[in-house]
Amino acid sequence: MAGAPDGLDLKRRTSLGFFKRPSLSNLTPINTNTTHNGESSSLRKRRPASFFTSSPSFEVDRKFGGKTGSPATPDSPKSRPRTLMKSDRPTSIFGSLRSKHSPGEEEEKLTKSTSKASSIDEDFEARTVIEGRNVSLHGWVQSTGTFRKKKEYLVLTDTHLLRFKSPAKASEAFPSITTSLGRSNTTRHASMASAGSAQDIQTMNSHSSAETHGVIPLNEIIAVYRLEDGKPYFSIEIAYLDNQTNHGSSLTLQINDFGEADLWLGSIRGAATKARLTEPLPFPQKTVDYVVSCLDQERDYDPDHFQMFKIVKRALNKATVRSSSDDLSKLASTISYLVIGINKIHLLPLPKPTFRSSSSSLNETTSRASFGIMALTSLTVKSNDDAMEVVFRLPLAQSKMLQLASTSSAEIALYIRRAADFLRPEWQEQPFAFHGPPALEEDVLPVEESCDENKCFDRTLIAYCAAYNVDTSNIRYTINYATEDAPCFKLLPPANPRRSTYTVLELLALMRALRYNQSFLSISFRGINLDVLHGLCDQHGTDHVPWTTRSGVPLDCPDQGSKSLLVSEIQALALKSKRLRRLDFAFCIARKPQDDDTNLRDPGCEISEAIFPLCRKQLTNVDWIVLSGIELGDEDLGYLVDAGVERMSHLRALEISRCGLTDRSMQLILNAMLSQDNTLESIDISGNLARLSPATFQGQIGHFAYIRKINLSRVHRTSGPEPLIAPETLLTWRLEELNLSETIINEQTVDSISAYLASNKSSTLRNVRLNGCGLTGRHVAVFLRSMTRSPGEARTLHLHVSENRLEEGHDELAAAINDSYGPTHLTMNMLEYKKENNFRELVQALRNNKTLRYLDISKASLPYDANADTCEAFKQMFAENETLEELDISGEYAHLEVAKFGIGLNDALTGLEQNHALKVLRVEYQKLGLRGANTLSAVFQQNSALQEIYCEHNEINLQGLTGLINGLADNTSVLYLPEMHLDRKESLSTVEREIQSIRVESSKSTLPSKNPIRRTFAGASRTGSKALSPLAMPDFTDQDVTAALHMVNEKWDRQVERLRQLLRRNMNLANGIDPESIDDQAMDSDGERPTTATSLVGILEKAKLQSTPTLEKEATLGDHMVHDKFDFELGGDGDEDVSPPLLGEGKALG
């Protein structure tokens, strides 16, 4: 067209409205003091603040420090035709549908005005912005938006990326760009030129964003990265976000030459990083509040562990995404916030804007996503662009890859690695792959040191539970510091009462939290079902597999990556901790070996497969292995024998009780373990099917010279006169524990044990268990005299001789105890006496004993309740014994038998008032009732030595509990008294049954009968009380009964609270702490008088009057229903009859 400079074709083409040139009314008039042709003053606006922007809300010098004035010129944009004077609001995308412009007179005007714009560029204020800006790179590129693809001339400065439609226009804005170069480029790409804006920069017309005006501030760029779209040219995507409007956009550059594409990519990345560091843009407070609110909902916010970044979730390769509606969103990149919380990494969408934009913006409807840091398996940072890949994987699930990009990708990677290091402070190597530039891999952010006594085990466990979506509160465990190889971690059953086993994810979270933990010397899963992990393989990855030891020594086991989860997790526990010495898997596997005729190999319990090969190769320090209660198969025996024959395994203990071992398997194991003769300290082969031959067994067990603990309970032996363990074998050991319970012991074995007890070799012996061995009283007397060095000198040892025939030769046993022969601890429970006088002799012997400090004679069965003589002997024993510190005289309630001493025990307990030695008393299941509770209450007021009293299951009701606590108010030594939960439940059930019986009897009977209330609430009937006619009993509704029980419950709660306050006071006094202030009512025993039997009627009447609606006929009460005539507060003393007057004797009810 004529008049077009440099041969450019200025024909206007059809396009969508948002690609049109912006309104020229936004430009500042050349002369603000002059108006033309009476135009409205609204056209004399100040020029917008930012460079090439149309927003009037920002000044130029706020962002660039430039001036706001420029010399006036005779040519003004106001002289243009009115058709180009657009309004200031965003252009609708339907504006391009009005009509097509044909080349004509109006087009010539457009050409002239556009040509003049170059001279305007030289004069208006934005020129001051360009001054001092260095041009780093410029050239032709092909850019793409949402609906179009075109060539533009890009100019990169140290602060902005600008887009021009031609080199000539770029040269006018930046004189450092030569005009000759611009002309040549313009001529070469003349066919791609298109109409631009008045500022000669291509606009995208996105509301209040930098893209609207063809300029991108470098400090707003979020990411610059390559697009792997498989096309024959190189694509670079630039994502940026307006910090004020929170509006995200993207620009894609397509370049044919690889070198030129690499130059643009590197230059833009470098300039953006420099601008971001020089002029950082802080997050607006509303954005921070939005992010914090999202993390609060996930329970993952901690101000000390909180980092947020702007990132781009990169679009997936179109070739790999199906063209379904669900995958359309994956074809576009999205801008989000990446937030690193304390346990998770969150991808949060941008807050929804308050306006709608018609530009090519990124998808803003992304849903939230959270990923546990403990589920991270791979983290890759690209070195040639801002792209990064983060891979997460949950157990038994496929991996999920996040393709992200950010100018802060290196920072993000370092913060993620620091978060993982914080959550796994004991891990020598993190279980995820970290790839990046060498400088980044060597850089490590500091992590605060661990100050937790368990090496932050709780922190790691919570993080794994959060990653696996597991409820942490369901996992229960305890740590025992008072055991061998302490501290010992012991897993307890789940907290959820509806589930008796843990789930797969719960067990994996726990086991992986225990990896590398150096605080535990023992780990026990005893009684926890691990069958859910048996045979379960994770086919989706091997990131959980332990390939090396803690020191980095390769495991070198065949098919290591295909092992089951149970094998992998146990091996990880054994390999990754240098301090771990003991693993207890007793009763963890319930499955049985498959003994079928198929060719399939039975894997066994898999615990042997996991642990014994490591012991054989000396890859672990675990040397105490407990497999009790697990039936072992042939595979298990193979692994066990292979480790046993290898002397370098250094096994300290092998516990294989109740493992279903036969004669053959037992002989294989014992012969294999002979190689561990210098290290084996404990062996447990109890409860198996194998029969031991004493002659053969002596030759095997005698090799172990360092045995400390041996358990031969429930062992079958062949017949013969030989002792099970010869005395010469015993005399080579320095045992600490000897257990022969439920194994038949002959006379030779008794002589062997007594000889060992008499020797100095047994000085280390602390525990001897001989329960159910068929011993007589004479045998036990021999043991007592053998272990005593001199009469009256206590032997520190605990002897268990329960369930034996001690009544045979009982005189010798009683004489030995009376003469103070024996140990400090003696357990003789579940004894059956056919003659009560034998038991009385035992009690009298205990009265004179000076060595016993602990005695358990619970569940002793007498032919009848103890008579007066036996109870008197008990009373004297309580009063005169000066050494006994702990005594257990509990009874037993069985289905076929009841073992108790009878009501005379209540009188015997009064002897405790004179006792000054006993500290712990157990007297459960003896049916003490109200009378026994009153006796103990009187003991509390006189005894200052008792510290713990266990008296549950004694039919003690509310009245008895109140009496106990009243006695405790004057006692400062008792530190424990049960809250009687079971007695409370039984008492309430009894009250409810008796109330129902009252209602039934009153409705059926018309004759006077004995009042059943006399034998209800207090649990004891009294003779000579008034008879209450059923005709006089009112009709109590179900609501009355419920309310009455509720009132009783409230009174019981009150007594329990009193008990807690008093025990807390005593505990503080015992530890030298000033006692806390106690409620006056807790100390007021007079105000808490025991409840009488007849006050149940008062409770029912009070419930009727105050709590529940009653029948209409009971609405009017007679003169006898006076409030003060009823013991509403249960305050009558034990001897006063506070029954209400007979209602039948008063006025008739309506």
Side-chain angles (χ1 to χ4, degrees), residues 722-906:
E722 303 90 352
L724 183 60
I725 304 178
E728 54 269 20
T729 301
L730 283 173
L731 291 174
T732 61
W733 295 337
R734 300 188 66 87
L735 292 177
E736 296 177 6
E737 292 186 14
L738 174 63
N739 191 347
L740 297 175
S741 296
E742 299 182 37
T743 298
I744 300 301
I745 295 178
N746 56 15
E747 291 290 340
Q748 290 77 10
T749 306
V750 171
D751 294 339
S752 178
I753 295 174
S754 61
Y756 180 68
L757 290 174
S759 70
N760 292 329
K761 288 287 187 178
S762 66
S763 59
T764 57
L765 194 60
R766 295 292 179 265
N767 207 330
V768 178
R769 297 179 181 272
L770 302 173
N771 300 319
C773 295
L775 299 175
T776 64
R778 185 183 64 82
H779 294 151
V780 175
V782 170
F783 293 149
L784 296 181
R785 295 183 182 275
S786 298
M787 69 178 61
T788 305
R789 300 293 183 258
S790 61
E793 181 182 352
R795 175 75 180 269
T796 306
L797 186 146
H798 195 158
L799 178 62
H800 302 259
V801 288
S802 302
E803 302 180 74
N804 284 295
R805 297 178 288 111
L806 300 187
E807 195 172 18
E808 183 179 340
H810 192 273
D811 294 341
E812 299 182 39
L813 172 62
I817 294 176
N818 185 78
D819 296 339
S820 298
Y821 286 97
T824 56
H825 295 67
L826 180 61
T827 298
M828 300 189 302
N829 57 28
M830 299 188 70
L831 301 180
E832 293 188 9
Y833 285 92
K834 297 180 180 179
K835 297 179 180 180
E836 185 177 347
N837 62 325
N838 289 331
F839 181 74
R840 184 164 56 251
E841 289 179 5
L842 175 63
V843 175
Q844 291 172 348
L846 294 172
R847 171 186 174 186
N848 301 321
N849 185 274
K850 305 297 181 183
T851 57
L852 284 174
R853 296 199 298 266
Y854 171 93
L855 177 64
D856 181 0
I857 53 174
S858 61
K859 304 178 183 178
S861 176
L862 302 180
Y864 306 101
D865 288 351
N867 59 28
D869 294 337
T870 303
C871 293
E872 183 63 25
F874 256 124
K875 182 176 180 180
Q876 294 177 0
M877 188 268 291
F878 286 140
E880 299 179 16
N881 186 283
E882 298 177 353
T883 58
L884 203 58
E885 297 179 356
E886 185 170 351
L887 176 63
D888 190 347
I889 55 173
S890 299
E892 181 184 23
Y893 293 166
H895 293 290
L896 301 178
E897 184 178 2
V898 175
K900 63 184 182 65
F901 294 139
I903 195 172
L905 183 61
N906 294 327

Side-chain angles (χ1 to χ4, degrees), residues 11-15 101 148-150 192-195 202:
K11 290 184 179 181
R12 300 192 63 183
R13 58 189 175 90
T14 304
S15 61
H101 293 273
R148 66 177 182 175
K149 180 190 299 183
K150 62 177 300 182
M192 298 301 298
S194 62
Q202 183 62 40

Side-chain angles (χ1 to χ4, degrees), residues 376-600:
L376 180 67
T377 60
S378 177
L379 179 59
T380 304
V381 178
K382 301 295 182 64
S383 58
N384 53 2
D385 62 1
D386 293 336
M388 64 184 301
E389 294 177 353
V390 188
V391 182
F392 299 92
R393 193 179 76 85
L394 294 177
L396 305 174
Q398 293 183 350
S399 301
K400 181 175 181 58
M401 176 184 292
L402 299 180
Q403 296 183 348
L404 310 176
S406 174
T407 55
S408 304
S409 58
E411 279 184 79
I412 294 174
L414 290 178
Y415 277 112
I416 291 177
R417 187 163 68 174
R418 187 181 76 167
D421 292 339
F422 174 77
L423 296 176
R424 299 189 189 100
E426 292 294 300
W427 287 53
Q428 298 293 318
E429 56 180 352
Q430 293 294 341
F432 59 86
F434 187 86
H435 303 291
L440 180 62
E441 293 184 4
E442 297 176 0
D443 193 7
V444 177
L445 294 178
V447 181
E448 63 183 61
E449 295 184 1
S450 170
C451 59
D452 186 79
E453 60 179 353
N454 295 321
K455 307 296 183 182
C456 301
F457 169 73
D458 286 341
R459 179 196 304 173
T460 308
L461 177 60
I462 292 172
Y464 268 107
C465 290
Y468 296 168
N469 297 318
V470 168
D471 184 8
T472 313
S473 63
N474 193 48
I475 299 177
R476 298 191 307 129
Y477 65 89
T478 182
I479 300 176
N480 189 357
Y481 294 92
T483 185
E484 189 176 359
D485 292 334
C488 174
F489 173 92
K490 178 175 176 55
L491 182 62
L492 302 177
N496 188 348
R498 298 181 179 179
R499 287 198 291 117
S500 59
T501 60
Y502 287 102
T503 64
V504 172
L505 293 181
E506 287 173 339
L507 289 174
L508 292 180
L510 176 76
M511 289 183 168
R512 293 175 184 180
L514 286 170
R515 287 191 190 185
Y516 284 97
N517 193 288
Q518 293 288 85
S519 61
F520 304 123
L521 273 69
S522 305
I523 296 177
S524 173
F525 296 96
R526 179 179 288 264
I528 302 300
N529 191 295
L530 300 180
D531 284 316
V532 291
L533 298 179
H534 185 278
L536 184 62
C537 298
D538 194 342
Q539 306 291 344
H540 301 284
T542 59
D543 50 280
H544 63 284
V545 178
W547 301 102
T548 63
T549 66
R550 186 183 180 93
S551 303
V553 179
L555 189 56
D556 194 22
C557 288
D559 301 326
Q560 181 65 18
S562 60
K563 302 290 186 182
S564 71
L565 286 176
L566 182 60
V567 175
S568 298
E569 296 305 324
I570 293 176
Q571 287 184 340
L573 292 177
L575 289 170
K576 301 302 183 180
S577 176
K578 290 184 176 180
R579 297 189 64 199
L580 185 62
R581 302 295 303 277
R582 184 183 306 216
L583 284 173
D584 187 351
F585 296 101
F587 305 97
C588 287
I589 302 295
R591 70 177 298 274
K592 306 295 181 182
Q594 303 297 323
D595 298 329
D596 50 19
D597 297 332
T598 62
N599 295 325
L600 297 178

